[in-house]
Amino acid sequence: MLLAHPDSTHSLLTQWREPDGELISHRLFTAADLRRAGLSKRRIRAAVASGVLVHVRRGVYLRAGVTRDVVVAASASGRLACVSALTPLGVFVRDRPVPHIHFARD
């Protein structure tokens, strides 16, 4: 089986940046996003197997290296909120045993 080189997959994922050029590290990628960026289904599977991507739920992925709280929120179809969103920004937060997650109303 031909595996995608992790560096080539990683370089494709660096396309997603904030307007100021900052890499978007917590962005969810759908399978369709990754396919549009040039990754085949095989390369997506290889990226997950090699640890470049984290598969959080069907058809949804995150970059490797995100915090456990981000993975928990994404796997529940939510996003970090409140003090859980402040912690990665360096704001001191007292003990918080569970992540605070926001869910959008549909």
Side-chain angles (χ1 to χ4, degrees), residues 20-80:
D20 65 1
E22 186 70 27
L23 185 67
I24 301 172
S25 60
H26 294 93
R27 185 189 190 285
L28 286 173
F29 298 99
T30 65
D33 292 333
L34 297 171
R35 297 293 304 273
R36 277 192 297 276
L39 291 172
S40 65
K41 290 179 183 180
R42 179 179 287 178
R43 285 186 70 189
I44 293 169
R45 283 192 303 271
V48 171
S50 67
V52 173
L53 287 174
V54 176
H55 181 243
V56 293
R57 63 180 189 272
R58 184 178 178 164
V60 179
Y61 304 86
L62 289 167
R63 280 193 179 90
V66 296
T67 65
R68 183 187 72 75
D69 287 352
V70 171
V71 174
V72 168
S75 65
S77 299
R79 62 180 177 213
L80 290 184

Side-chain angles (χ1 to χ4, degrees), residues 5-16 43 52 63:
H5 189 277
D7 291 336
S8 65
T9 302
H10 178 73
S11 65
L12 283 171
L13 297 177
T14 60
Q15 295 177 45
W16 287 282
R43 285 186 70 189
V52 173
R63 280 193 179 90

